[in-house]
C-alpha cells in the first residue's frame, strides 16, 4: 500500500548510484486547485513541483530549491519551490490554449528555466538551463549533462490527483561494472506513469531493478506550505514606495494583495499604510482572510 505525500531515498548497494522518489497527493491537489490550469499546463506544474521536491532532498541542504520559467507563451509563468522542512508550494499562470504537441519553448514562450538554490549560510546559487525538448525531464537532463553536475535522470508523471517522480543519480566513484549506469537508466526508463504514481516505492523498485541490491531509507511526509506573511507583504509595499501606495489607496480605498501561491489576501487601509511608512516601520495587525 502506497503512502501519501512521501519522499524517500534509495541506494544501489553495489554501485555508486542513488535515487529519490517523491509522490504528492493532498499537497499537489491543494496546489492544483489554486489555478485555472488544464492539460499540459496542469501536468507541467505538478511535474515541476516533484522536481524541486526531489532536488531539495537529493542536495541535502538546509534551505530551498526554486524552479522558475517566465515567458510570453500560453503558460507564461511557472514558479515552484520546495524547502528542507518538507514544504512545497507553486503556481502557474495559463493565458491561452496549449497545443498537446507543443515543445517547452512554445508552451512557455521562453528559452530558459532558472533553478535557484538557497542554502543557509551561503549565497543563493542560480543555474540557468536551456529549455530544450518536449518534457521537463528532457530540459533537466540536458542541464545536468551539460553543466558541471552529476549525471542525473528524471522520470515524472502527473494527473489531477497525484504528481510523482523518481530521480536516479550517478555518484562520483568508479563503477564496479561498466554497464551498471546504462543498465539502471534503461530499466528506469521502462517505468510507466501508473507504476510511478500508484506503487509503494519498495514494490516499484522491485519491479524495475529486481536483479540489484537496493537499500531503502526512511520516508518523510511532504506538505503544502506557504511562506507568505503580512510582514513580507508590508515589506513589498515599502519597496513599492509611498507615492505609489498612496495612489492605489486613493483610487481603491485600500491596498489588497493576494498571495499567488496560497490565495491568502492581505489588505492595508490608510491607517495601515501610514504605519508601514511611519517611523519604526511596524506592521499593523489586521484581519487576514484565507
Ligand atoms: Zn501564500
Amino acid at each position: 500500500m502506497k503512502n501519501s505525500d512521501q519522499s524517500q531515498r534509495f541506494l544501489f548497494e553495489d554501485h555508486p548510484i542513488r535515487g529519490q522518489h517523491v509522490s504528492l497527493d493532498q499537497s499537489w491537489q491543494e496546489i492544483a486547485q489554486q489555478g485555472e490550469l488544464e492539460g499540459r499546463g496542469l501536468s507541467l506544474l505538478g511535474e515541476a513541483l516533484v522536481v524541486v521536491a526531489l532536488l531539495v532532498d537529493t542536495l541535502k541542504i538546509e534551505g530551498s530549491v526554486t524552479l522558475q520559467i517566465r515567458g510570453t507563451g500560453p503558460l507564461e509563468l511557472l514558479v515552484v519551490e520546495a524547502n528542507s522542512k518538507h514544504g512545497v508550494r507553486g503556481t502557474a499562470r495559463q493565458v491561452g490554449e496549449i497545443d498537446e504537441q507543443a515543445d517547452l519553448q512554445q508552451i512557455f514562450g521562453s528559452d530558459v528555466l532558472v533553478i535557484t538554490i538557497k542554502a543557509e549560510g551561503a549565497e543563493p546559487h542560480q543555474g540557468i538551463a536551456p529549455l530544450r525538448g518536449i518534457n521537463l525531464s528532457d530540459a533537466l537532463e540536458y542541464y545536468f549533462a551539460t553543466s558541471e553536475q552529476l549525471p542525473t535522470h528524471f522520470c515524472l508523471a502527473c494527473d489531477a490527483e497525484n504528481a510523482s517522480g523518481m530521480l536516479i543519480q550517478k555518484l562520483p566513484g568508479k563503477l564496479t561494472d561498466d554497464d551498471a549506469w546504462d543498465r539502471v537508466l534503461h530499466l528506469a526508463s521502462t517505468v510507466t506513469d501508473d507504476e510511478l504514481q500508484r506503487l509503494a516505492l519498495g514494490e516499484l523498485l522491485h519491479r524495475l531493478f529486481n536483479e540489484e541490491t537496493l537499500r531503502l531509507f526512511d520516508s518523510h511526509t511532504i506538505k503544502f506550505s506557504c511562506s507568505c506573511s503580512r510582514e513580507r507583504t508590508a515589506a513589498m509595499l515599502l519597496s513599492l514606495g509611498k507615492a505609489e501606495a498612496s495612489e492605489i489607496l486613493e483610487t481603491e480605498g485600500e491596498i489588497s494583495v493576494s498571495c499567488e501561491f496560497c490565495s491568502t489576501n492581505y489588505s492595508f487601509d490608510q491607517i495601515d499604510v501610514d504605519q508601514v511608512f511611519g517611523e519604526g516601520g511596524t506592521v499593523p495587525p489586521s484581519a487576514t482572510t484565507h
Side-chain angles (χ1 to χ4, degrees), residues 199-269:
L199 290 183
L201 184 58
E203 193 182 346
L204 175 69
L205 295 179
H206 180 71
R207 277 200 199 181
L208 293 175
F209 310 114
N210 57 5
E211 308 263 296
E212 308 287 344
T213 313
L214 287 153
R215 194 195 319 169
L216 231 69
F217 293 81
D218 287 343
S219 63
H220 63 74
T221 303
I222 296 182
K223 60 186 186 311
F224 166 59
S225 79
C226 194
S227 53
C228 69
S229 68
R230 188 164 175 82
E231 286 73 18
R232 286 186 184 197
T233 313
M236 201 187 73
L237 280 188
L238 264 179
S239 66
L240 198 68
K242 194 167 185 178
E244 190 147 342
S246 302
E247 207 180 296
I248 301 171
L249 261 183
E250 232 160 79
T251 48
E252 308 285 337
E254 64 166 20
I255 300 176
S256 175
V257 182
S258 191
C259 173
E260 59 182 343
F261 292 101
C262 68
S263 307
T264 300
N265 193 275
Y266 301 97
S267 63
F268 296 80
D269 64 12

Side-chain angles (χ1 to χ4, degrees), residues 85-143:
K85 297 189 172 73
H86 313 313
V88 289
R89 64 174 187 164
T91 186
R93 199 155 56 226
Q94 186 171 347
V95 293
E97 225 169 278
I98 299 171
D99 183 348
E100 286 300 315
Q101 309 301 321
D103 65 21
L104 293 175
Q105 293 199 5
Q106 293 166 327
I107 293 172
F108 288 101
S110 166
D111 51 16
V112 289
L113 70 83
V114 181
I115 294 179
T116 309
I117 298 164
K118 286 186 195 153
E120 255 169 44
E123 288 287 306
H125 170 82
Q126 203 168 69
I128 297 177
L131 205 49
R132 286 173 58 129
I134 305 282
N135 300 308
L136 204 53
S137 53
D138 300 335
L140 289 159
E141 277 164 26
Y142 181 79
Y143 172 61

Side-chain angles (χ1 to χ4, degrees), residues 174-199:
K174 200 168 157 27
L175 292 169
T176 42
D177 115 47
D178 290 341
D179 300 328
W181 175 243
D182 290 339
R183 191 172 64 240
V184 165
L185 279 195
H186 170 73
L187 292 170
S189 70
T190 64
V191 72
T192 65
D193 288 0
D194 195 57
E195 287 173 325
L196 207 51
Q197 293 181 281
R198 319 284 168 219
L199 290 183

